[in-house]
Amino acid sequence: MSDAKSVFLETHNINNRATGLGTFNYELIKGLHQLNFENLDLCLNSGKPKLLKNEFGDVFKYHKYMSLHRYKAFRPMAKFDLWHSVNQNSKLEPRVNTKYLLTVHDVNFVEEISSDMNHKKNQLFIEKLNRANAITYISEFAKKQTHDYFKVPNIPEYIIYNGNPISTLLDTSAFVSNVPVDKPFFYTIGDFIERKNYTSIINMMKLMKDFNLIISGNNTKKYGQVIKDLIKKNNLTNQVFLTGKVSDEGKQFYMKNCIAFLFPSIREGFGLPPIEAMSFGKPVFLSNKTSLPEIGGEMSNYWSDFDPEYMKNVLIDGLDNYENNKSVIEAEMKKRAASFDWKIAASNYLNIYKEILK
């Protein structure tokens, strides 16, 4: 009879790979898949377990997620030795008392939805904190932000940086862009949500007539419309282009061929895209808010405010500096990108599973 301990990974966000959480779920699983976790049975939660099984085989066990599992009466019945809530916003919880690991990406909801601790979003998070045997954070900033707003129980806390989602450089020579790439362009990618602050770089583009800006990501929701209206209003339809969602090949094509990667986000628990751009040795321009200085390090360029003229000057100075020290900066950027490794991250999570289950 197996004396393996069972670990349930609440990974249902994996279905939406285009989001940061979807990427996190998938990359963590891919990292774990490369490791030997004898004496542990890892069970993945997904609405499409067959897809995962096709990719990862019998290394994991699988649980089919249905939306009704979020309600107390319909929570999964099985008893697991450890439940890993890989996202602080997940509504799915264990039915029975079990060891519990909470991973916190950010608590932006306090700033964006409500700072009233009786609000259901905050209550849900407080329940998770009180249930946890240990907490992992994806950045020092995420830890600080959590402690700023919540009373965190006195339990072990760990920082585990995410890995770089670009583990393989793809051949992009056959990729056909759906937007013009005949002029030097800046690139950015991410969810179309307000905190990504795309309006700031679009306003800056009015002052950068020799360059284009390309933005990738699902732009069909409300903020997407805000961005489209802003582009039109500023007569930038021949200068700022939206690709919509993009394949891995497309993303790597734009990162490889852009002259700089821009990421003016004002709230970021981690920020994966800047690391991806660093893989290509590109100059990276970030806001100096939240976790981004932790991710970008000393070689990146930072905006401390979003006045268009100021942003333009930071960008021009940064590009000049890059051109004058290209081989050094390129090598440093690639080295920094490589230091974020999913296999190392997964190995750290595995060690914490074992620690909690001792």
Side-chain angles (χ1 to χ4, degrees):
M1 216 174 107
S2 162
D3 59 353
K5 300 269 193 185
S6 58
V7 182
F8 184 85
L9 282 83
E10 206 302 79
T11 47
H12 85 270
N13 286 106
I14 195 166
N15 286 357
N16 195 354
R17 246 9 118 67
T19 65
L21 287 174
T23 302
F24 176 87
N25 283 232
Y26 178 66
E27 295 293 344
L28 174 60
I29 289 167
K30 233 166 65 174
L32 288 167
H33 183 251
Q34 297 174 60
L35 302 170
N36 178 356
F37 37 88
E38 79 284 358
N39 296 334
L40 288 181
D41 283 336
L42 304 190
C43 180
L44 309 179
N45 191 35
S46 165
K48 297 174 180 169
K50 279 203 180 109
L51 284 182
L52 287 182
K53 189 161 184 174
N54 288 345
E55 185 169 353
F56 299 114
D58 295 328
V59 171
F60 299 105
K61 294 191 159 59
Y62 302 91
H63 178 269
K64 184 166 172 58
Y65 167 75
M66 290 184 270
S67 56
L68 60 79
H69 289 152
R70 294 177 302 179
Y71 301 101
K72 272 187 181 162
F74 297 102
R75 284 175 178 173
M77 285 296 286
K79 170 97 164 88
F80 294 90
D81 295 303
L82 170 62
W83 182 288
H84 182 186
S85 191
V86 303
N87 156 22
Q88 74 283 336
N89 296 328
S90 164
K91 294 188 178 76
L92 186 64
E93 296 290 351
R95 178 181 285 233
V96 284
N97 262 347
T98 182
K99 303 263 188 188
Y100 192 93
L101 173 64
L102 172 61
T103 293
V104 178
H105 300 256
D106 62 65
V107 292
N108 287 336
F109 49 86
V110 181
E111 293 165 17
E112 293 177 351
I113 297 172
S114 173
S115 58
D116 173 6
M117 285 298 138
N118 292 316
H119 188 282
K120 64 175 193 283
K121 199 87 171 160
N122 295 329
Q123 281 296 314
L124 177 77
F125 184 66
I126 290 167
E127 276 174 34
K128 286 179 182 291
L129 284 177
N130 293 336
R131 174 176 265 156
N133 295 88
I135 304 172
T136 58
Y137 301 94
I138 62 168
S139 62
E140 292 286 354
F141 168 75
K143 180 179 178 181
K144 181 189 177 302
Q145 191 193 29
T146 304
H147 278 265
D148 283 349
Y149 289 113
F150 294 94
K151 194 172 180 304
V152 177
N154 185 14
I155 53 177
E157 296 178 278
Y158 308 89
I159 310 285
I160 302 179
Y161 285 129
N162 294 341
N164 180 352
I166 293 184
S167 47
T168 317
L169 296 182
L170 304 174
D171 174 11
T172 59
S173 54
F175 178 75
V176 180
S177 173
N178 63 353
V179 298
V181 288
D182 52 343
K183 203 166 143 182
F185 66 89
F186 306 121
Y187 184 58
T188 191
I189 183 171
D191 298 336
F192 271 67
I193 45 182
E194 224 159 296
R195 76 171 88 111
K196 298 297 179 188
N197 194 21
Y198 296 143
T199 53
S200 68
I201 46 176
I202 291 167
N203 288 327
M204 177 193 69
M205 288 307 292
K206 288 183 286 189
L207 310 173
M208 309 281 300
K209 288 299 174 200
D210 298 333
F211 302 94
N212 286 347
L213 169 64
I214 295 175
I215 308 177
S216 291
N218 178 6
N219 57 50
T220 57
K221 303 225 172 80
K222 195 170 140 195
Y223 188 65
Q225 197 51 53
V226 170
I227 295 304
K228 289 170 191 168
D229 293 344
L230 185 67
I231 293 167
K232 212 176 270 167
K233 187 180 131 197
N234 286 309
N235 299 319
L236 291 169
T237 46
N238 293 325
Q239 214 188 333
V240 180
F241 301 97
L242 309 181
T243 68
K245 279 188 184 175
V246 75
S247 63
D248 284 345
E249 185 194 6
K251 175 171 69 175
Q252 290 199 23
F253 171 86
Y254 294 120
M255 286 188 173
K256 193 186 291 182
N257 291 293
C258 70
I259 52 167
F261 184 79
L262 316 184
F263 203 71
S265 175
I266 50 174
R267 286 193 191 92
E268 210 64 42
F270 188 78
L272 288 168
I275 297 174
E276 296 177 288
M278 287 179 208
S279 306
F280 297 95
K282 292 295 172 178
V284 169
F285 294 80
L286 311 167
S287 89
N288 69 347
K289 311 281 181 265
T290 63
S291 69
L292 291 174
E294 251 180 281
I295 307 310
E298 286 173 14
M299 281 287 177
S300 295
N301 305 276
Y302 296 95
W303 290 301
S304 56
D305 76 64
F306 304 109
D307 168 72
E309 186 70 39
Y310 159 79
M311 289 182 81
K312 178 191 105 169
N313 292 337
V314 170
L315 188 50
I316 298 296
D317 290 350
L319 289 174
D320 285 348
N321 180 44
Y322 180 76
E323 285 309 320
N324 295 333
N325 306 283
K326 194 166 181 178
S327 56
V328 175
I329 296 177
E330 208 172 275
E332 280 301 316
M333 284 303 200
K334 289 179 178 175
K335 188 173 149 194
R336 186 161 183 87
S339 73
F340 295 96
D341 184 319
W342 276 111
K343 194 174 175 184
I344 295 169
S347 164
N348 288 333
Y349 281 104
L350 209 50
N351 289 338
I352 292 168
Y353 295 167
K354 290 171 179 166
E355 194 59 40
I356 296 175
L357 288 167
K358 260 183 188 171

